[in-house]
Amino acid sequence: MCATRASAWPCDQLDARIELVADVPADAASLDENLNRLARRFVGTLTQPRVLQLRRLIIANAEAFPELGTAWYTQGFERVLETLAATFARLSDQRLLRVDDPLPAAHHFAGLLLWIPVDKAMCTGSPQHPEADLGNWAAAGVRAFPAAYR
């Protein structure tokens, strides 16, 4: 799916976020800062108007074109979650996080960050959230995450 011209922009952005997710420095003193930086970029990318429009289109047509939805998920969000899980496993190995099962931890992190802004955008058709709101939602998610994984 990412090879098609119509989807190149979101996939390029997603590839950049995958690299970002993989590169969380293992530094105890700045872990919260690094997770906040990751969270803000992650939320900012996945709430961009074009990404939300494509998401709505894919969800609306999931029954008619399940292979499209499957490709969108597996080549996009699932790749991000797998990379984030590997990052959390690395941070756990270095004793910066306490993660028994990295993939659910990646899902929890993404859910904490994305539930409010994406759900609101999906339901209201809002094209763009104010930057301050995105930052607040990302920061709240990052604050909640360590309660389960530190």
Side-chain angles (χ1 to χ4, degrees):
M1 175 157 169
C2 284
T4 66
R5 182 157 170 59
S7 65
W9 180 85
C11 290
D12 290 346
Q13 294 295 314
L14 195 53
D15 287 343
R17 295 310 151 229
I18 290 170
E19 290 175 20
L20 174 72
V21 168
D23 291 333
V24 174
D27 176 13
S30 60
L31 182 63
D32 289 342
E33 178 184 328
N34 293 331
L35 289 175
N36 266 301
R37 189 177 311 111
L38 164 65
R40 287 175 191 269
R41 290 179 181 161
F42 192 54
V43 169
T45 296
L46 294 177
T47 59
Q48 290 181 0
R50 174 135 183 212
V51 174
L52 292 170
Q53 290 168 347
L54 286 170
R55 183 182 173 105
R56 283 187 200 99
L57 183 64
I58 289 166
I59 290 169
N61 291 286
E63 288 185 28
F65 303 102
E67 66 283 350
L68 179 62
T70 298
W72 173 264
Y73 186 82
T74 59
Q75 294 180 25
F77 202 61
E78 190 171 64
R79 286 177 48 216
V80 170
L81 290 170
E82 290 168 354
T83 302
L84 188 56
T87 298
F88 288 160
R90 177 178 52 85
L91 294 172
S92 184
D93 289 345
Q94 296 169 342
R95 300 186 191 274
L96 296 173
L97 293 175
R98 185 182 41 83
V99 179
D100 295 327
D101 194 343
L103 190 57
H107 279 271
H108 293 156
F109 187 76
L112 287 167
L113 301 178
L114 298 173
W115 176 257
I116 295 170
V118 172
D119 195 47
K120 185 174 180 179
M122 297 278 78
C123 292
T124 65
S126 173
Q128 184 67 41
H129 293 289
E131 196 66 34
D133 287 350
L134 293 177
N136 290 337
W137 289 321
V142 170
R143 278 192 310 274
F145 186 73
Y149 294 103
R150 255 207 198 140

